[in-house]
Amino acid sequence: MNLSDPKQLSTLLEGLLLASGKPLSLERIMELFEEAERPEADVFRKALAILGGSCKGRAFELKEVASGYRLQIRDTFSPWVGRLWEERPQRYSRAMLETLALIAYRQPITRGEIEEIRGVAVNSQIVKTLQEREWIRVVGYRDVPGRPAMFATTKGFLDHFNLKNLDELPPLAALRELEPEPVLAQGDDDPAVPHSLQARADLALADEDSEQEIDAQAKAETSFGSLLAELDAMEQGLKTDFDDLAREGDESNPDAPETVSSAVDDPSTSEREETS
């Protein structure tokens, strides 16, 4: 095989990406070749371009994500391909998605800042789950009392959502369009409510304590629309490079960068937690 020929090299790269099962960066691909036989980087790029073009009209495509290149099934075929696995896709709570959205659009951000924006405490299990999935990581510690950790997204987060970098995050205006329309109250022309259902509603309205508890909970939760509006003002100037910040577990490392100072005091974490 003539490895200097981009067309022949593209066939070899296809096999490497299929066998890998995970994204491969250009540097990692080049490391798989002996120094004597290794083509120039430009030859690899031309071969990848040829491979991407050869995927046209096929069920899979060459996609470049944060961690590198990978061959993946096109989204068009996902409803059928998904039937190969019997387990249902995992559903995430609204609290977890809101927390992840805040970290993605406002990073680096502390847990206290997330709670201040959402108006409710962040369940520790939510942060733990996002870290276990390697979607977020600690990139430093705010130089305020308590030195709270600052969270940011990872390459694994970008890979999972098919993104190459944070600039490819959808604009908040697109997310706002996904918010469900409010349900209108039932009109006079609508069919009558069944007597059994009406009786239950009357009983619930008669319980003033329950009504007050529901009102308090409704006021405590920030609406998704308000959250998007808050994020909209934060979207500009998104930080994408956190190499200058201390990593989790590097606090004891003398070579770790200094912690980041902030003029804003980080609010203390509330003891109350919501269910994830």
Side-chain angles (χ1 to χ4, degrees):
M1 175 179 290
N2 183 9
L3 298 180
S4 299
D5 183 0
K7 186 173 182 180
Q8 295 188 36
L9 181 59
S10 66
T11 305
L12 175 56
L13 295 182
E14 180 179 355
L16 292 175
L17 293 175
L18 287 173
S20 172
K22 62 181 181 180
L24 293 177
S25 64
L26 180 60
E27 293 75 13
R28 176 55 182 157
I29 293 175
M30 294 179 64
E31 290 176 356
L32 299 175
F33 294 80
E34 297 290 342
E35 186 175 357
E37 65 178 7
R38 183 184 304 154
E40 297 294 332
D42 290 340
V43 179
F44 280 99
R45 294 189 182 93
K46 291 178 181 180
L48 288 169
I50 294 174
L51 177 58
S54 67
C55 294
K56 292 182 179 179
R58 305 182 69 176
F60 60 90
E61 62 181 345
L62 178 67
K63 180 70 176 182
E64 184 180 4
V65 292
S67 298
Y69 297 88
R70 70 182 176 194
L71 291 173
Q72 61 184 34
I73 302 297
R74 297 184 185 275
D75 292 339
T76 309
F77 306 106
S78 59
W80 295 272
V81 176
R83 297 170 188 169
L84 292 172
W85 296 273
E86 295 182 358
E87 64 271 14
R88 296 180 179 179
Q90 187 171 0
R91 298 180 63 86
Y92 301 102
S93 66
R94 175 170 175 172
M96 178 177 292
L97 293 177
E98 288 182 357
T99 301
L100 181 60
L102 277 168
I103 295 174
Y105 284 92
R106 185 63 179 86
Q107 57 186 300
I109 188 172
T110 66
R111 178 172 172 174
E113 291 168 340
I114 296 174
E115 293 175 345
E116 184 179 9
I117 296 172
R118 295 191 63 236
V120 65
V122 176
N123 193 320
S124 299
Q125 187 61 36
I126 291 179
V127 178
K128 181 180 179 181
T129 299
L130 293 175
Q131 288 180 311
E132 288 177 347
R133 289 187 170 273
E134 298 183 350
W135 287 357
I136 66 172
R137 61 188 176 95
V138 175
V139 295
Y141 299 87
R142 191 78 75 191
D143 192 11
V144 295
R147 299 183 70 250
M150 295 185 296
F151 298 101
T153 54
T154 64
K155 285 186 177 181
F157 164 81
L158 296 174
D159 292 345
H160 182 83
F161 291 97
N162 216 22
L163 303 172
K164 182 179 178 181
N165 50 54
L166 291 173
D167 294 335
E168 295 184 358
L169 281 171
L172 292 172
L175 294 179
R176 192 174 291 111
E177 294 177 358
L178 299 178
E179 184 179 6
E181 295 292 335
V183 180
L184 299 178
Q186 187 177 11
D188 296 334
D189 296 335
D190 293 337
V193 178
H195 294 291
S196 59
L197 183 59
Q198 185 63 51
R200 293 181 182 180
D202 294 340
L203 182 61
L205 291 175
D207 190 348
E208 295 182 359
D209 293 338
S210 298
E211 184 179 13
Q212 292 177 357
E213 181 179 353
I214 293 174
D215 290 341
Q217 182 179 0
K219 292 178 181 179
E221 286 285 352
T222 303
S223 68
F224 191 51
S226 300
L227 176 65
L228 291 177
E230 187 79 20
L231 285 171
D232 208 1
M234 303 174 179
E235 188 176 6
Q236 301 298 326
L238 186 66
K239 182 176 178 60
T240 60
D241 183 11
F242 305 102
D243 292 338
D244 58 327
L245 302 178
R247 304 295 178 86
E248 181 179 14
D250 289 347
E251 185 179 2
S252 60
N253 186 353
D255 297 329
E258 297 275 340
T259 55
V260 178
S261 300
S262 173
V264 181
D265 288 338
D266 183 74
S268 59
T269 303
S270 174
E271 294 181 357
R272 56 196 178 87
E273 295 188 345
E274 64 174 286
T275 304
S276 61

